[in-house]
């Protein structure tokens, strides 16, 4: 589950700071060593570089593969003899000169569980070390720090060293807190992905009853008068629903979404006939742009349901997609009944019930994926139609169809 807002803000701040520091580090390390300044500055840069190497292996959370790869960098960061990472069930990483044996891991896990239970850093030396059966380690002492994520201890960072000093305790606790922040960021990213998938499922549930009922009614009206047309509509209906209810992928392309919209509008024309007019202005260079799945079709459906159905006369819907440098700008405009701006704000804020939940769903998902500046821009007023605009980054390395 999500942390309180303050915790999430803190984690995000850590992420931003880490990215900024790593970017600055990469720029500085590209220069010659003499440009790095004093020995102290070089030591700081070296520590940041080592932390950046460890962070890339913790992006998926506290996993055996990631912990094992991050362990060697964390050990270098602390300058200790042997370092280990564990979760509640097993030792995930063991890096250093001490022999890595099943017995050693079992004993260390026993020590880790006392820290998991208490949530407090603990030093094992002398009798406490012997009680764990770890007294044959060449005179080393053991320091175990908790990894606390969302106020819960999910693992431990353990350090073997000849002597645990107060300075090492502070340093190890700081590194453990940094590791926990990386884990929390990974969990937050996973939670956002799960939330996005839930939003898509909710959108499908909202679309399907209305659309299926109207489409089947339209198809039924052609069965006796124009059976060929009825068969064509059945095929279009099957293709559209296959796309809408596909089970894999949270992303698609502008081209695929427009193809689904074309099928949707063919079915709606079967109901409205010549009352429904469509204009497309699509730049071919944006057809391959990746967008969240079902982010355009609900906007077109909104124009049909709340624009054309609620107004008399012809309904005009214009869909545009244009290249705007680093972004693709996509608009859906209709000449329908429009909406009261205050009501629209309540809908987007989640404070109003009604049939416009598709708009809020798309707005929420766009903000989740691209940030708060990429929500829907909606211009509307009663009787003045509706213009909906979205700005989609064309470069999205982490998103795949």
């Amino acid at each position: 589950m999500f942390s309180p807002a303050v915790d999430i803000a803190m984690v995000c701040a850590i992420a931003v700071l880490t990215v900024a520091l790593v970017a600055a580090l990469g720029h500085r390390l590209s220069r010659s060593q003499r440009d790095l300044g004093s020995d102290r500055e070089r030591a700081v840069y070296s520590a940041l570089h080592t932390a950046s190497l460890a962070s890339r292996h913790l992006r998926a959370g506290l996993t055996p593969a990631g912990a094992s790869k991050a362990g060697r960098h964390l050990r270098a960061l602390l300058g200790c003899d042997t370092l280990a990472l564990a979760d509640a069930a097993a030792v995930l990483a063991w890096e250093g000169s001490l022999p890595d044996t099943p017995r050693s891991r079992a004993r260390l896990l026993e020590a880790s569980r006392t820290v998991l239970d208490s949530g407090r850093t603990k030093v094992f030396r002398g009798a406490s070390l012997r009680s764990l059966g770890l007294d044959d380690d060449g005179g080393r002492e053991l320091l175990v720090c908790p990894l606390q994520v969302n106020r819960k201890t999910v693992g431990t960072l353990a350090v073997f060293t000849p002597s645990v000093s107060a300075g090492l305790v502070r340093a190890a606790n700081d590194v453990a807190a940094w590791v926990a922040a990386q884990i929390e960021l990974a969990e937050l990213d996973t939670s956002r992905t799960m939330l996005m998938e839930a939003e898509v499922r909710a959108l499908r549930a909202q679309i399907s009853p209305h659309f299926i009922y109207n489409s089947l009614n339209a198809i039924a009206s052609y069965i006796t008068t124009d059976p060929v047309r009825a068969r064509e509509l059945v095929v279009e209906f099957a293709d559209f629903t296959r796309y809408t209810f596909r089970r894999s992928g949270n992303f698609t392309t502008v081209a695929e979404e427009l193809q689904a919209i074309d099928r949707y509008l063919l079915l709606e024309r079967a109901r409205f006939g010549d009352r429904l007019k469509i204009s497309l202005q699509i730049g071919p260079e944006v057809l391959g742009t990746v967008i969240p799945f079902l982010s355009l079709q609900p906007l077109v459906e909104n124009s049909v349901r709340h624009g054309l159905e609620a107004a008399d006369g012809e309904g005009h819907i214009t869909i545009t997609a244009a290249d705007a440098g680093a972004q693709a700008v996509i608009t859906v405009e209709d000449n329908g009944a429009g909406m009261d701006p205050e009501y629209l704000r309540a809908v987007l804020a989640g404070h109003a019930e009604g049939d416009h939940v598709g708009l809020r769903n798309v707005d929420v998902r766009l903000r989740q994926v691209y940030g708060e500046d990429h929500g829907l821009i909606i211009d509307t007023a009663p009787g003045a139609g509706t213009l909906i605009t979205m700005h989609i980054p064309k470069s999205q390395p982490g998103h795949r169809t």
Side-chain angles (χ1 to χ4, degrees):
M1 299 297 292
F2 288 103
S3 307
V6 173
D7 288 345
I8 293 179
M10 183 180 298
V11 171
C12 292
I14 291 172
V16 171
L17 179 60
T18 299
V19 171
L21 289 173
V22 170
L25 175 64
H27 177 68
R28 289 297 187 91
L29 289 181
S30 65
R31 301 177 181 177
S32 62
Q33 285 293 320
R34 70 175 183 274
D35 292 331
L36 294 179
S38 65
D39 290 343
R40 180 177 179 180
E41 288 173 328
R42 283 195 290 271
V44 171
Y45 292 137
S46 176
L48 287 173
H49 180 58
T50 303
S52 72
L53 293 175
S55 67
R56 69 185 62 176
H57 301 301
L58 297 170
R59 290 172 184 166
L62 192 61
T63 65
S68 179
K69 293 177 180 178
R72 66 177 68 103
H73 301 298
L74 298 176
R75 179 194 173 205
L77 195 61
L78 287 172
C80 59
D81 185 284
T82 299
L83 181 140
L85 291 169
D87 62 13
V91 175
L92 305 178
W94 185 289
E95 189 69 32
S97 62
L98 287 179
D100 181 5
T101 66
R103 179 181 179 276
S104 296
R105 288 194 172 218
R107 297 301 189 185
L108 178 59
L109 186 60
E110 185 178 345
S112 294
R113 283 173 177 158
T114 64
V115 174
L116 283 166
D117 292 340
S118 67
R120 296 181 179 180
T121 298
K122 189 170 182 179
V123 177
F124 296 85
R125 55 166 65 98
S128 62
L129 202 61
R130 288 193 295 273
S131 68
L132 293 170
L134 290 171
D135 53 333
D136 53 352
D137 60 0
R140 294 173 179 83
E141 297 178 347
L142 173 63
L143 168 66
V144 184
C145 305
L147 302 177
Q148 295 184 325
V149 176
N150 295 331
R151 301 180 182 178
K152 178 182 178 182
T153 305
V154 300
T156 59
L157 181 148
V159 172
F160 286 95
T161 184
S163 177
V164 176
S165 65
L168 178 62
V169 172
R170 288 193 297 271
N173 276 323
D174 286 342
V175 170
W178 179 84
V179 171
Q182 305 307 305
I183 298 169
E184 188 165 356
L185 284 170
E187 291 190 357
L188 181 60
D189 187 58
T190 300
S191 298
R192 289 178 62 187
T193 300
M194 293 174 64
L195 179 59
M196 183 174 176
E197 292 172 350
E199 293 283 0
V200 172
R201 289 194 297 270
L203 184 59
R204 286 169 174 157
Q206 183 262 331
I207 290 173
S208 57
H210 179 90
F211 175 74
I212 291 173
Y213 175 80
N214 288 331
S215 297
L216 292 179
N217 273 346
I219 293 170
S221 70
Y222 283 98
I223 290 176
T224 56
T225 60
D226 191 348
V228 174
R229 177 65 171 154
R231 284 195 295 271
E232 292 173 351
L233 291 174
V234 167
V235 172
E236 297 294 345
F237 176 77
D239 287 341
F240 176 78
T241 53
R242 185 181 298 113
Y243 173 81
T244 304
F245 298 111
R246 74 179 191 184
R247 299 194 176 196
S248 61
N250 289 323
F251 294 89
T252 185
T253 63
V254 170
E256 290 177 339
E257 192 86 351
L258 288 175
Q259 189 174 36
I261 288 171
D262 183 58
R263 294 187 176 111
Y264 168 79
L265 290 173
L266 280 173
L267 292 161
E268 292 292 34
R269 283 197 195 98
R271 285 204 299 143
F272 294 107
D274 293 338
R275 283 188 61 206
L276 181 56
K277 305 294 184 181
I278 308 297
S279 297
L280 294 176
Q281 300 172 22
I282 309 299
E285 63 273 19
V286 302
L287 288 173
T289 301
V290 175
I291 59 175
F293 179 64
L294 284 181
S295 56
L296 293 184
Q297 190 278 337
L299 308 185
V300 176
E301 181 173 359
N302 181 80
S303 291
V304 172
R305 291 180 62 185
H306 307 294
L308 182 58
E309 286 183 353
D312 297 327
E314 290 186 346
H316 294 266
I317 298 176
T318 300
I319 304 171
T320 72
D323 189 342
Q327 297 184 331
V329 179
I330 304 171
T331 67
V332 177
E333 184 175 10
D334 67 67
N335 66 334
M339 285 179 281
D340 176 67
E342 289 298 326
Y343 172 70
L344 174 62
R345 279 190 282 272
V347 168
L348 296 180
H351 300 154
E353 299 292 335
D355 295 332
H356 293 281
V357 293
L359 290 181
R360 169 170 165 74
N361 185 293
V362 173
D363 181 68
V364 167
R365 287 191 290 132
L366 289 175
R367 294 177 190 276
Q368 287 173 354
V369 174
Y370 305 119
E372 286 300 315
D373 294 335
H374 286 82
L376 294 177
I377 301 172
I378 305 178
D379 297 317
T380 188
T386 301
L387 171 63
I388 304 174
T389 304
M390 64 170 66
H391 295 79
I392 305 296
K394 290 194 296 184
S395 177
Q396 303 176 41
H399 302 146
R400 298 179 181 179
T401 59

